[in-house]
Amino acid sequence: MNQIYISYAWKDNQSELGRQREELVDKICAALVSERYNLIRDRNYLTLGKSIQQFMQEIGRGNYVILVVSEKYLRSEYCMFEAVEIMKHKDYEQKVFPVVLQDADIYTKEGKIEYITYWKQQREKIEKIINSELLSHEYSAMHNIAAKIIEISEKIDEFMFFISDKLSINPTNNFNEFINQLNDAIRNDAVQLRSKKSILVAGTGNFNIPNEVNWCTQKLGEKIAEYNYNLITGGWEGVDYVVADKFAEKIAEKNIRLTDKLTHFVPQGKQPVFKGGKVEYTESGVNEWLTCLRHSDLVIIVGGVGGTYETYLYAKQEKIPVIPIVCTNGDAKKVFDEMLANWDSKLMGNISPEKFKSLNQYINNPSTAADVVNDVMDIVNEIIFAKTMLNL
């Protein structure tokens, strides 16, 4: 689950600036919660028994951090330790959204020098204390505090340069644009995560497949590759072969090894009909379905004459989203009707039944099949985004 942390100086809520800061953070949190993001706010998180230090380190590991930077933040040991932890992690620049409030003087040379001088003085004070005979033990609590302050004094210049250099929309002036910017950045990141997600395609298991099944399966193989998902099949004739064949063609254009993207799960002693990709062996029977599903994040059903319906039943038990291409009929139509009758909004990433019904389109040529598959992949992307990025 991806999380968004809110880092700000929250203990000062008695002054006018403190109240304004708290109101702004309340507004940001409300907007993100309404979008169903998994939000962590230190004021709510640090209940009795929670470790402040552990939380600050978790902030550093967070996927996204909103820094509400104020004068108090830049002089706070706790806040600046959070900032230091954040900066330790790779690619933090893309994961951090600074909000610089008016009282934080980081855009002038004089302001930057003042904060650097402040932390240099804090370092000198703490070093004098720990150098005394009474507090010389290296494992004392005071030594731990000193280590934090020394680290802050070494990183304050880099931190201020980062937040002053990064272009960011201030929600105080343009709140909606700030939320949109954050949403766009997270959705762009989600595109990168697709390369780690796997789609199982199941359907009619013989070469004598109707035109609408063939057209949809070909396009499906191409689109799964274009969106950079991994493909899983059961290695059968028909749908499994066609989707793997078209998927492989697109992967070859990307100059990627097929064994990194395509996996067939087949019973011991058998070989997949499509020759290419990685082969994993399993026991015949129920394990043929379960092994495929254990490695899948989502299932797409095309046609089917009985066995494909069982894939749906096992996927339902394993809480894996299923998208049947209803206009290919057979098991796909049966699954579509059953899913609508027992709609599970949470499992389907909050996709509405109305959007799901829109897949029930007529196919009479490759062009209309491509339109349907495009709509299918839109839903796939929404579900994967919801499962990966939101609090569902």
Side-chain angles (χ1 to χ4, degrees):
M1 180 65 67
N2 281 269
Q3 296 173 323
I4 300 177
Y5 289 95
I6 308 289
S7 177
Y8 72 110
W10 55 273
K11 288 187 177 180
D12 175 28
N13 57 7
Q14 299 303 313
S15 67
E16 181 59 30
L17 285 175
R19 284 192 292 271
Q20 291 175 6
R21 184 164 59 246
E22 196 76 18
E23 288 173 3
L24 175 61
V25 174
D26 285 343
K27 190 176 179 182
I28 292 172
C29 289
L32 295 176
V33 169
S34 71
E35 297 279 348
R36 302 188 66 86
Y37 287 115
N38 188 28
L39 186 68
I40 304 293
R41 182 175 181 177
D42 52 3
R43 188 191 69 184
N44 301 331
Y45 184 91
L46 289 174
T47 55
L48 186 64
K50 295 270 188 177
S51 163
I52 292 176
Q53 183 170 358
Q54 180 184 359
F55 173 74
M56 288 188 289
Q57 290 170 342
E58 287 179 2
I59 281 186
R61 292 191 292 269
N63 293 90
Y64 303 95
V65 183
I66 298 174
L67 301 179
V68 182
V69 181
S70 60
E71 163 76 8
K72 185 172 180 61
Y73 188 102
L74 290 166
R75 295 180 186 271
S76 164
E77 174 191 323
Y78 288 131
C79 292
M80 288 306 300
F81 183 68
E82 290 177 1
V84 167
E85 286 297 317
I86 291 163
M87 291 166 65
K88 289 179 182 178
H89 291 265
K90 183 180 178 182
D91 300 329
Y92 77 89
E93 295 94 342
Q94 285 75 44
K95 302 290 187 176
V96 174
F97 298 87
V99 176
V100 181
L101 302 183
Q102 289 182 348
D103 65 330
D105 186 10
I106 65 166
Y107 296 107
T108 67
K109 180 180 178 181
E110 293 76 17
K112 290 176 182 176
I113 290 174
E114 184 178 343
Y115 293 121
I116 292 170
T117 302
Y118 172 80
W119 284 107
K120 180 181 178 182
Q121 292 170 346
Q122 296 302 109
R123 175 175 180 166
E124 290 171 351
K125 288 178 184 178
I126 199 71
E127 286 179 334
K128 285 181 181 178
I129 294 173
I130 63 173
N131 286 334
S132 69
E133 289 186 13
L134 292 176
L135 294 168
S136 61
H137 195 282
E138 63 178 319
Y139 297 111
S140 69
M142 190 62 71
H143 267 81
N144 291 334
I145 295 172
K148 292 179 190 176
I149 292 175
I150 291 169
E151 196 169 16
I152 293 168
S153 70
E154 293 171 347
K155 292 286 187 178
I156 180 67
D157 193 13
E158 179 185 344
F159 175 69
M160 287 194 299
F161 175 80
F162 163 65
I163 59 175
S164 61
D165 186 61
K166 182 166 182 176
L167 292 175
S168 181
I169 297 169
N170 192 330
T172 306
N173 303 323
N174 196 334
F175 184 80
N176 290 335
E177 189 61 28
F178 172 79
I179 296 299
N180 290 339
Q181 182 190 59
L182 184 61
N183 265 320
D184 289 345
I186 293 173
R187 286 190 173 272
N188 287 336
D189 269 359
V191 171
Q192 304 301 317
L193 290 173
R194 289 175 189 162
S195 64
K196 301 177 182 178
K197 301 298 178 180
S198 298
I199 296 175
L200 168 63
V201 175
T204 309
N206 59 70
F207 278 124
N208 186 25
I209 55 178
N211 285 335
E212 62 270 18
V213 172
N214 187 38
W215 295 328
C216 284
T217 306
Q218 289 187 43
K219 194 64 181 177
L220 193 58
E222 294 174 1
K223 298 302 288 187
I224 291 173
E226 285 178 16
Y227 282 114
N228 206 26
Y229 290 110
N230 303 318
L231 174 63
I232 292 177
T233 84
W236 291 80
E237 302 173 350
V239 165
D240 288 12
Y241 179 90
V242 173
V243 74
D245 184 48
K246 290 299 179 182
F247 179 84
E249 288 181 8
K250 284 293 180 182
I251 291 298
E253 294 175 6
K254 294 185 171 189
N255 198 28
I256 300 173
R257 293 191 307 181
L258 189 59
T259 50
D260 291 337
K261 301 297 292 181
L262 170 62
T263 305
H264 310 282
F265 289 94
V266 299
Q268 294 284 351
K270 292 188 177 181
Q271 291 292 322
V273 178
F274 179 81
K275 305 305 179 186
K278 183 168 60 177
V279 181
E280 298 282 350
Y281 295 99
T282 183
E283 299 174 9
S284 60
V286 172
N287 277 327
E288 291 182 56
W289 283 284
L290 294 181
T291 304
C292 284
L293 291 169
R294 274 197 295 269
H295 292 82
S296 303
D297 297 286
L298 184 140
V299 178
I300 299 176
I301 290 177
V302 191
V305 290
T308 306
Y309 179 71
E310 290 193 57
T311 301
Y312 159 69
L313 293 178
Y314 286 118
K316 185 178 178 182
Q317 291 174 7
E318 296 300 310
K319 300 298 180 183
I320 298 173
V322 176
I323 302 179
I325 303 184
V326 56
C327 36
T328 57
N329 299 308
D331 289 346
K333 177 64 166 65
K334 182 179 179 181
V335 170
F336 180 83
D337 292 339
E338 187 169 318
M339 287 180 66
L340 274 179
N342 303 280
W343 189 251
D344 188 338
S345 178
K346 187 173 182 179
L347 178 62
M348 295 297 288
N350 277 352
I351 295 294
S352 68
E354 289 70 28
K355 187 166 187 175
F356 187 70
K357 288 177 185 177
S358 71
L359 297 179
N360 194 4
Q361 303 171 34
Y362 181 67
I363 293 177
N364 60 358
N365 56 42
S367 178
T368 52
D371 291 339
V372 169
V373 170
N374 285 334
D375 290 343
V376 167
M377 292 307 298
D378 283 344
I379 292 179
V380 168
N381 292 337
E382 284 298 315
I383 292 174
I384 293 296
F385 178 82
K387 295 293 181 181
T388 305
M389 311 300 283
L390 304 185
N391 189 18
L392 294 174

